[in-house]
Amino acid sequence: ALFSLTILLQMYVTRLFAQYREVKAIASDQRIQAFHELIHGFYAVKMHNWEKLMEERIKKLRENEEASIRRMLYLKALNY
């Protein structure tokens, strides 16, 4: 019975880990896209004084990405 519960728990943790990995990938893609927009629109950003807005946007995206990485690491630590 304990073996069966262990297998079920492992399956559940694996599914959660896959979901967190997908969330992390989406967060990373959004952050990379924001950097891409910043680099390609650098002159427009400087001309309109949007540096602070872009910095805040990228910072918020990075915080979201870090939160998803942290959740993955907690889950990974619990799994061992």
Side-chain angles (χ1 to χ4, degrees):
L2 183 61
F3 185 70
S4 299
L5 287 174
T6 305
I7 290 175
L8 290 175
L9 180 63
Q10 186 67 30
M11 288 172 52
Y12 176 71
V13 168
T14 302
R15 285 188 188 143
L16 273 180
F17 197 74
Q19 289 174 352
Y20 288 159
R21 197 172 334 127
E22 186 175 338
V23 169
K24 183 218 167 277
I26 291 169
S28 296
D29 289 346
Q30 289 174 341
R31 184 179 55 85
I32 290 169
Q33 179 65 30
F35 265 111
H36 179 76
E37 291 172 6
L38 174 65
I39 290 168
H40 288 288
F42 185 74
Y43 292 113
V45 169
K46 293 295 276 183
M47 185 171 61
H48 295 291
N49 197 21
W50 292 337
E51 294 98 341
K52 193 67 174 173
L53 292 173
M54 289 300 288
E55 178 185 352
E56 290 172 4
R57 179 179 172 208
I58 292 171
K59 189 175 182 181
K60 184 183 286 188
L61 290 169
R62 179 62 186 158
E63 288 170 358
N64 289 341
E65 184 181 6
E66 286 176 348
S68 64
I69 291 170
R70 200 172 300 111
R71 282 191 301 267
M72 284 176 51
L73 291 175
Y74 288 148
L75 186 61
K76 195 172 188 178
L78 285 173
N79 196 25
Y80 286 116

